[in-house]
Amino acid sequence: MDDFRALKDIRLTVIGIGLMGGSVLKALKSAENRPAMVTAVDTDPDVLAKIEAKGLADIATEDTASAIKDADMVVIALYPKQAIKLVTEHSGDFKPGCVVTDICGVKREVMDEIPKLLPEGVDFVGGHPMAGREHMGFDYSVPDLFLGCKYILMNGPKKAVKLVRDFADALGAGKIVKADPEYHDEMIAYTSQLPHALAVTYMLSSDARGVEDFSAGSFRDFTRISMINEEMWSELFLENRDKLGDEIDHLMDILNALKVFTKSGDRESLKKMMKMAAMMREGIKG
């Protein structure tokens, strides 16, 4: 790329129109900096029909190869292994100068695999918008899903990173965060994957007891994310098994200490743990 390109001047292709890909299309539809042309790719004809009916893309197609060949930027809104498989199968379809990005929730594998699969002259910038919902699929996509979110970007060529930053801004992202894949996956294990693991474990520990008449805000807030997309999250857990496993081990140590203090009647130690946790949370914005 000889010059920086404006997002509004490029042809953009979004591949995979589920919750995330659909929300990308809906956000871009009303964006001030909307690309000159948007193409949506999905294998579900019903989803493509809905995209056309809502005017969310200039082209809605199942033909991945044709959608890639003319694209200046390709956004891969698929799970990590699907993203790698797609690039493997279509590496020859990307044109020189194209910028490719993903929105996968883990970064080490995609950053290890995808750049080496792409032809010379095609740049890859790994991305991860910190946004989502407890439901899956295009029907649950919303235009404001990314509004104010933190958007994590991996390093890449300056001009390619600038274009992906502009894309994130068009979605309504509130803050761009730069990280390397190792640090990203370490932090995500704690801030995203561990809460989901806890919610699943907590919900299963109910042993199917009737809890409706005894639940309020704490129960509702904590269990919301147990309504989990098992296909995506099982893959993310296993892709990041080392980092997540360490976080689970550490949490179990702390939970065991809390159990010991509770069973022994050590109120002062319990109060210290609770006070420390409250102070730590107060120090975190957001």
Side-chain angles (χ1 to χ4, degrees):
M1 294 182 292
D2 296 327
D3 301 300
F4 286 99
R5 291 180 291 178
L7 185 69
K8 66 182 179 62
D9 296 328
I10 71 163
R11 291 167 293 188
L12 181 142
T13 291
V14 182
I15 302 176
I17 315 300
L19 170 66
M20 301 295 280
S23 295
V24 166
L25 295 181
K26 291 178 180 179
L28 290 178
K29 182 180 180 181
S30 58
E32 182 178 339
N33 199 23
R34 188 183 190 276
M37 175 174 284
V38 175
T39 298
V41 181
D42 200 85
T43 57
D44 187 337
D46 290 336
V47 168
L48 296 176
K50 291 174 183 178
I51 292 169
E52 291 178 339
K54 296 176 183 293
L56 296 177
D58 300 288
I59 299 172
T61 180
E62 295 183 54
D63 189 344
T64 302
S66 66
I68 289 175
K69 285 179 179 177
D70 293 327
D72 301 304
M73 181 177 178
V74 174
V75 178
I76 305 175
L78 301 171
Y79 303 164
K81 291 191 180 302
Q82 291 177 322
I84 293 168
K85 183 174 184 289
L86 179 134
V87 176
T88 301
E89 294 175 350
H90 293 279
S91 61
D93 294 324
F94 296 92
K95 71 177 186 178
C98 180
V99 173
V100 182
T101 189
D102 75 312
I103 57 173
C104 295
V106 291
K107 293 268 75 82
R108 283 178 294 173
E109 184 177 27
V110 293
M111 292 302 298
D112 284 344
E113 296 296 327
I114 289 181
K116 66 188 181 186
L117 294 170
L118 292 169
E120 186 176 352
V122 177
D123 294 321
F124 180 71
V125 180
H128 180 199
M130 296 297 295
R133 300 183 74 186
E134 59 269 26
H135 300 291
M136 60 185 289
F138 173 80
D139 290 338
Y140 291 99
S141 60
V142 290
D144 60 352
L145 183 67
F146 308 104
L147 190 62
C149 79
K150 299 176 181 71
Y151 203 113
I152 305 171
L153 292 182
M154 305 295 107
N155 288 323
K158 187 176 181 180
K159 296 173 183 178
V161 171
K162 172 64 166 58
L163 190 59
V164 180
R165 287 181 68 111
D166 289 347
F167 167 72
D169 287 342
L171 297 183
K175 182 180 181 180
I176 301 295
V177 179
K178 296 297 290 294
D180 64 67
E182 187 77 18
Y183 186 64
H184 170 277
D185 287 2
E186 177 183 331
M187 294 303 294
I188 289 301
Y190 175 73
T191 64
S192 180
Q193 295 178 342
L194 186 62
H196 281 83
L198 276 168
V200 169
T201 305
Y202 175 70
M203 199 67 255
L204 292 175
S205 73
S206 71
D207 296 325
R209 285 177 287 182
V211 299
E212 292 87 352
D213 292 338
F214 296 86
S215 61
S218 297
F219 179 85
R220 181 178 60 251
D221 293 345
F222 192 75
T223 59
R224 178 183 62 82
I225 59 172
S226 67
M227 293 185 290
I228 197 167
N229 174 353
E230 72 278 4
E231 290 296 330
M232 180 180 75
W233 282 99
S234 61
E235 180 172 335
L236 295 178
F237 276 23
L238 294 180
E239 291 293 333
N240 207 29
R241 67 185 75 183
D242 55 339
K243 304 292 187 184
L244 178 57
D246 289 344
E247 293 295 343
I248 292 173
D249 286 341
H250 183 51
L251 181 132
M252 289 177 68
D253 289 341
I254 298 172
L255 189 62
N256 188 62
L258 189 146
K259 180 184 74 172
V260 170
F261 296 148
T262 299
K263 287 195 169 185
S264 66
D266 188 346
R267 186 176 181 184
E268 288 305 310
S269 293
L270 283 175
K271 288 167 63 177
K272 286 180 182 179
M273 289 184 72
M274 293 172 181
K275 185 175 182 179
M276 182 178 294
M279 291 174 61
M280 291 172 69
R281 182 61 183 90
E282 285 178 359
I284 299 173
K285 296 179 181 179

